[in-house]
Amino acid sequence: MLGILKKIFKSGPAENYADLMKNGALILDVRSPGEFSTGNIKGSINIPVDSLKANLGKLKDKNRVIITCCASGVRSSMAKAVLKSNGFTNVYNGGSWHGLQQKIR
């Protein structure tokens, strides 16, 4: 069980999300539209994790850096897995949108 959790919530060196943003990363917020409307990172796009597979066409460039986020990091981890399994090559789990917002300043 611990091995599975470590895989999902990869531990290792922290990503420099501010640098990723300066280089054109896209923030994909996978919360529900209602959650997104109560607060979000400026410039992020909202595609709920449960409809991500059906909306992959909205993310045209499979090589663009994409940072996923949600409320806690669980759905963003699931979204990262969906994207990676569909050929997206540069995907990072940013965790909670609040925490990510602090990291990109």
Side-chain angles (χ1 to χ4, degrees):
M1 178 64 125
L2 184 57
I4 293 170
L5 290 175
K6 282 183 179 179
K7 240 183 201 180
I8 292 173
F9 300 103
K10 177 186 168 194
S11 60
E15 300 299 336
N16 188 330
Y17 293 105
D19 282 349
L20 292 174
M21 290 302 298
K22 287 176 190 170
N23 290 311
L26 169 71
I27 297 177
L28 175 62
D29 191 318
V30 297
R31 296 176 295 152
S32 71
E35 289 173 292
F36 186 78
S37 70
T38 64
N40 57 72
I41 297 173
K42 184 179 178 180
S44 63
I45 66 165
N46 178 229
I47 303 175
V49 71
D50 59 353
S51 64
L52 183 56
K53 281 186 182 179
N55 288 287
L56 291 174
K58 293 180 179 180
L59 306 170
K60 298 180 188 331
D61 183 357
K62 290 189 174 190
N63 295 310
R64 183 175 184 186
V65 174
I66 299 174
I67 304 169
T68 61
C69 68
C70 63
S72 66
V74 174
R75 288 176 285 180
S76 59
S77 178
M78 293 175 8
K80 176 183 175 181
V82 168
L83 292 171
K84 295 290 269 180
S85 71
N86 282 279
F88 289 82
T89 58
N90 297 304
V91 185
Y92 299 86
N93 178 4
S96 76
W97 77 272
H98 279 293
L100 180 58
Q101 189 169 41
Q102 298 304 312
K103 294 174 187 171
I104 62 174
R105 291 185 176 185

